Amino acid sequence: MAKKTTKTTLQPAYNFNDPWEELLENKAFVKAFLSDVLEDYIIKQRWYGGKASKLKYIELSEYFRIQQHGEIYYGLILEVNFVEAFYQHYFLPIAFVSDESFAQEDRILPISIKDQKGFIIDAINLEAFRKLVFERIHTAVPNDQTKVQYHKSLLFQDAYKSSRFMGLEQSNTSIVYNENYVLKFFRRIYANKNPDYEMSRFLSEKKNFKNTPAYLGSINLVDSDKENITIGLMQEMVPNEGDAWDYMLKELHKVFSNLEAKKINTQQLPDTELFERLDIRDVPPQIIDWVGLNLFLKIQTLAKRTAEMHIALGSEFEETAFTPTHFNGDYTVWLKNRLLYQFQNRLNTVENNLHKLDGLALTLAQEFLDKKNSIRKRFVNFDWTKLKGERIRVHGDYHLGQILVKDDDFYILDFEGEPESTIRDRKVKQPPLKDVAGLFRSFHYAIYATIFNHNDEYKHSQDDLFEAGELLYKYFIGVFLKTYITKIQDANLNIGYSQERIFLLKYSLLEKAVYELGYELNSRPLWAVIPLKGITNIINH
C-alpha cells in the first residue's frame, strides 16, 4: 500500500545554518515553522480540539528543552488563535531526524540544518525520545525547582525496557512502557495543574486508594508567568478486560434477549419507585429471574468503589485543594450562571433541530419546549441554605467508559473532568452525588444503546423494550443507592439528609441530561430520545 504523503513533504526543504540546539532562537525559522507549516499539520491531528472552529494563526507561547546527556528535544507550547476570538494551548514535542525512511506519515516539515537534510517530526514517534523521558522521570530528584520538573513516586523503580503507542486516543497521547506503565502526554494544556494529575497523585499517594491506576510520576512545566502546567502523567497499567461500558452493553444484550428466551411479559414485571434504596433481597424474584443475580452484584461492587473514591476525596483536612466544604452563595451563583447559560444554548439547539426528530423523540422534545419555564425554574431553585451536606473534589466526568473491568472488580480512571468546562470549573468542589448522577445517566444510555443496537433481533416492540428498560434502570439505581449511601454514611461523609440527596440527584441528573441533549442533536438526532427521556423522568417525578 502506498504511503500517505502530507502537503508538507511536497514543500522545498528549509535551510538554516544554526545548530539544532539554537534553532528556536532563529526568528525566521520560528515564523516559517508556525505560519507555513504547522497550521496544515496541526488540523490533521486526532488530538486537535479546534476542528469546529476557524483557525486564525498560531503563536509559540513557550518552548523548553527536554534533554539528557547531550541529547536534546524541544517541547513547544503552541497558542492556537481562532477567528471566533478565543484560543487554545497545545503541547508538541519536536525532534530532528535525518533518516529518510523514518516517520514518513508524521513529518512536520523537511529541513536542512547546517547542510544536513532531514525532517522535524513529533518527537513521540522516536523511541530515543520516549526512553529519555522515561529516564528523566526515573532519575527525578525530590523538590525539583527547574523549569521542567520531573517527579517520581517511590513505587517507580523499574529500568527502561520498551515503549509503544497505546492506541487511538482523541485528546491525549499515551505511551506504554515495559508493558507495565502508561505515560499520558496531555496535548491540550491549561495554565494550571491538570486535574487528572492532581487527583491521581492525591488518591494514590496520600489516600492509598487501590481502585485507580497507581501514580508513578509526572512532568510539569513552570511557564514564564510562574504557572505550573502538567505535560505528562505516569501511572501503572492495569491489566483489564475492557471498560465498563462495553461490559454493560454485553450484559444488557443478554438481559433483553432473556425477554424472549424466558417468554417474559413486560407488562407484568413488578415496578419500583425511582430513587428507592434496594437491597438485592428487596428486588422481586421476577426481576432477578429476568436480569440475573450477577449484574446486580456487579452494580453493588461499582457502588462500593464509587463510595470509596468519594470517602478518600472527602477525608482530607490539610491540603486545601481537597478539604471538604459546605454549600454557600458563591457556589450557588457559579452553578446557576453556568446552568442557565447551558440551558438557553440547548433550548436554541432543540428549536433549530425539531425537523430532525419524529415519534417519541419529537413528542419529548415538544414537552421539553412546553415545560422550558418549569425546567429553568428548577435550575434557579437551588437554595443552598437548606443543604447540610458537604462539597468535595469529584471525578467530574464519571461514566462507564471511565471505568475498567478487571476480574470481578472495577478501576476508576481519567480524572480530567468535563471536556466543555474550563480548568478552574473542573476543580470546583461539588456534591459527590454529581458523580453518581453521571453514572446513572451512563446506565440509562447503556440500556437504550442496547435496544438501538439490537432492535432487529428483539421480538418485543420498541415501546415495550423502552418500558422494560426504564423499569430496569430504576432497579439498577435502587441497588446502587442502597450500597453507596450505606458505605458513605458508615464513613461519616456528609452527603445530606434523605430529601436533600434526592434533590441533588434530580438536579444533577437534569443538568447532565440537558448537557447530553446538545451533543445528540448535533451528532446523532435518533439518540436524542435518551437525554429527552432522562429529562422527562425528572420533571414528571
Side-chain angles (χ1 to χ4, degrees):
M1 194 175 91
K3 288 275 187 192
K4 282 191 294 184
T5 53
T6 62
K7 200 169 151 188
T8 52
T9 57
L10 304 175
Q11 295 177 343
Y14 292 89
N15 189 25
F16 292 94
N17 286 320
D18 309 73
W20 167 246
E21 299 78 44
E22 296 167 18
L23 192 60
L24 274 133
E25 286 155 35
N26 183 317
K27 288 182 179 168
F29 165 74
V30 171
K31 188 178 177 201
F33 183 65
L34 294 176
S35 56
D36 298 353
V37 176
L38 210 51
E39 289 183 16
D40 188 49
Y41 174 80
I42 201 169
I43 58 174
K44 295 173 183 164
Q45 303 311 303
R46 286 179 68 86
W47 42 260
Y48 175 60
K51 292 181 173 69
S53 303
K54 191 168 171 56
L55 194 153
K56 192 175 180 185
Y57 60 88
I58 299 175
E59 285 184 343
L60 183 59
S61 175
E62 195 97 27
Y63 72 88
F64 54 95
R65 290 180 176 192
I66 300 171
Q67 61 187 14
Q68 187 182 48
H69 310 316
E71 211 180 328
I72 295 175
Y73 304 94
Y74 284 107
L76 311 182
I77 305 295
L78 304 168
E79 183 178 294
V80 179
N81 288 268
F82 297 99
V83 172
E84 295 90 336
F86 72 100
Y87 59 85
Q88 295 173 342
H89 286 103
Y90 290 90
F91 167 60
L92 177 67
I94 59 170
F96 173 68
V97 293
S98 53
D99 187 336
E100 184 63 38
S101 64
F102 196 79
Q104 289 181 318
E105 291 185 25
D106 212 4
R107 292 170 179 169
I108 301 174
L109 86 158
I111 189 170
S112 176
I113 297 175
K114 286 188 160 289
D115 295 324
Q116 183 180 23
K117 288 187 176 179
F119 303 91
I120 286 181
I121 63 166
D122 184 326
I124 291 174
N125 287 286
L126 208 56
E127 186 180 10
F129 171 77
R130 301 197 297 263
K131 182 180 180 186
L132 184 149
V133 169
F134 180 98
E135 288 177 347
R136 288 305 312 258
I137 295 172
H138 192 251
T139 57
V141 295
N143 303 316
D144 187 349
Q145 296 300 309
T146 55
K147 184 180 175 72
V148 186
Q149 297 179 352
Y150 299 91
H151 179 263
K152 77 160 182 172
S153 86
L154 297 172
L155 298 173
F156 187 35
Q157 300 296 338
D158 212 355
Y160 179 87
K161 297 186 190 77
S162 64
S163 62
R164 63 174 174 86
F165 284 102
M166 181 176 247
L168 296 172
E169 291 176 281
Q170 287 301 120
S171 53
N172 302 307
T173 305
S174 290
I175 307 299
V176 176
Y177 287 106
N178 299 0
E179 298 303 318
N180 284 324
Y181 315 117
V182 179
L183 175 63
K184 182 192 291 184
F185 279 109
F186 296 105
R187 294 299 200 153
R188 172 96 189 270
I189 58 164
Y190 306 90
N192 212 308
K193 287 177 185 166
N194 192 292
D196 202 6
Y197 156 72
E198 285 186 311
M199 299 274 279
S200 297
R201 189 169 175 185
F202 175 80
L203 285 169
S204 182
E205 284 199 330
K206 198 148 191 186
K207 296 298 169 182
N208 202 24
F209 177 59
K210 296 295 187 195
N211 286 76
T212 191
Y215 168 84
L216 298 174
S218 57
I219 312 165
N220 285 279
L221 166 72
V222 180
D223 72 4
S224 48
D225 295 324
K226 299 286 181 270
E227 288 282 4
N228 203 309
I229 297 170
T230 311
I231 301 296
L233 171 65
M234 178 88 89
Q235 294 170 295
E236 74 167 335
M237 186 170 168
V238 176
N240 63 83
E241 293 109 59
D243 64 36
W245 171 258
D246 287 338
Y247 170 81
M248 189 61 94
L249 291 185
K250 287 190 198 102
E251 291 299 312
L252 286 169
H253 180 41
K254 292 182 209 163
V255 170
F256 282 107
S257 299
N258 274 347
L259 289 174
E260 185 66 26
K262 297 193 172 188
K263 300 197 166 23
I264 292 167
N265 182 342
T266 56
Q267 304 301 317
Q268 290 178 354
L269 288 168
D271 202 352
T272 184
E273 271 291 305
L274 189 63
F275 308 124
E276 182 84 30
R277 283 183 279 159
L278 300 170
D279 203 297
I280 286 183
R281 286 169 305 208
D282 304 324
V283 179
Q286 300 99 303
I287 301 293
I288 298 288
D289 181 50
W290 167 36
V291 178
L293 184 62
N294 179 57
L295 194 48
F296 284 117
L297 291 171
K298 285 290 194 303
I299 283 172
Q300 280 189 326
T301 304
L302 187 50
K304 276 183 203 150
R305 298 300 170 244
T306 306
E308 286 161 0
M309 170 180 74
H310 287 150
I311 291 160
L313 289 167
S315 62
E316 178 60 24
F317 302 102
E318 292 169 8
E319 205 174 322
T320 52
F322 287 94
T323 50
T325 189
H326 289 286
F327 292 93
N328 59 23
D330 287 347
Y331 173 76
T332 305
V333 169
W334 170 84
L335 183 71
K336 287 180 185 177
N337 285 345
R338 202 163 162 263
L339 296 191
L340 290 174
Y341 172 80
Q342 188 185 87
F343 181 62
Q344 191 56 49
N345 173 284
R346 297 315 191 253
L347 270 179
N348 297 340
T349 307
V350 172
E351 284 168 348
N352 294 335
N353 288 277
L354 272 180
H355 63 282
K356 297 179 185 173
L357 304 176
D358 57 23
L360 180 61
L362 182 59
T363 307
L364 294 173
Q366 294 284 10
E367 183 186 15
F368 176 73
L369 293 175
D370 292 344
K371 295 189 174 176
K372 64 185 177 189
N373 290 333
S374 101
I375 298 170
R376 190 184 285 110
K377 198 171 173 186
R378 278 179 180 254
F379 285 138
V380 171
N381 286 349
F382 189 91
D383 185 356
W384 69 270
T385 61
K386 291 181 180 169
L387 302 177
K388 306 300 176 208
E390 290 175 321
R391 292 184 290 126
I392 62 170
R393 283 291 289 273
V394 296
H395 186 288
D397 189 28
Y398 196 46
H399 57 79
L400 291 164
Q402 309 280 42
I403 299 162
L404 294 178
V405 180
K406 182 189 177 188
D407 303 325
D408 283 329
D409 212 342
F410 297 98
Y411 288 76
I412 302 163
L413 53 153
D414 287 338
F415 292 89
E416 274 198 84
E418 207 173 66
E420 269 189 33
S421 300
T422 67
I423 203 81
R424 293 196 196 291
D425 283 354
R426 295 182 207 186
K427 296 183 182 194
V428 170
K429 289 165 188 168
Q430 303 266 25
L433 289 164
K434 184 179 168 69
D435 278 346
V436 173
L439 198 54
F440 287 177
R441 291 297 310 136
S442 202
F443 288 164
H444 200 239
Y445 255 83
I447 287 165
Y448 276 82
T450 305
I451 295 168
F452 286 142
N453 292 341
H454 300 278
N455 216 354
D456 298 341
E457 299 166 48
Y458 304 142
K459 300 287 189 290
H460 289 70
S461 71
Q462 192 175 71
D463 285 351
D464 278 354
L465 291 169
F466 283 172
E467 208 171 307
E470 287 295 332
L471 184 67
L472 182 60
Y473 171 67
K474 287 193 274 189
Y475 280 107
F476 276 4
I477 69 176
V479 169
F480 186 100
L481 281 175
K482 171 73 174 177
T483 303
Y484 175 84
I485 290 168
T486 303
K487 189 129 189 96
I488 287 280
Q489 289 179 331
D490 287 349
N492 293 319
L493 179 61
N494 184 357
I495 58 168
Y497 51 92
S498 180
Q499 283 171 292
E500 177 177 343
R501 291 195 298 268
I502 290 175
F503 167 77
L504 287 170
L505 263 178
K506 283 183 176 180
Y507 196 95
S508 300
L509 282 163
L510 190 60
E511 174 193 349
K512 190 74 177 163
V514 167
Y515 171 83
E516 294 159 355
L517 189 53
Y519 174 82
E520 297 304 351
L521 284 169
N522 287 325
S523 57
R524 45 181 188 188
L526 284 175
W527 285 42
V529 71
I530 308 175
L532 284 166
K533 192 75 182 77
I535 291 165
T536 203
N537 283 350
I538 298 302
I539 60 178
N540 294 327
H541 182 259

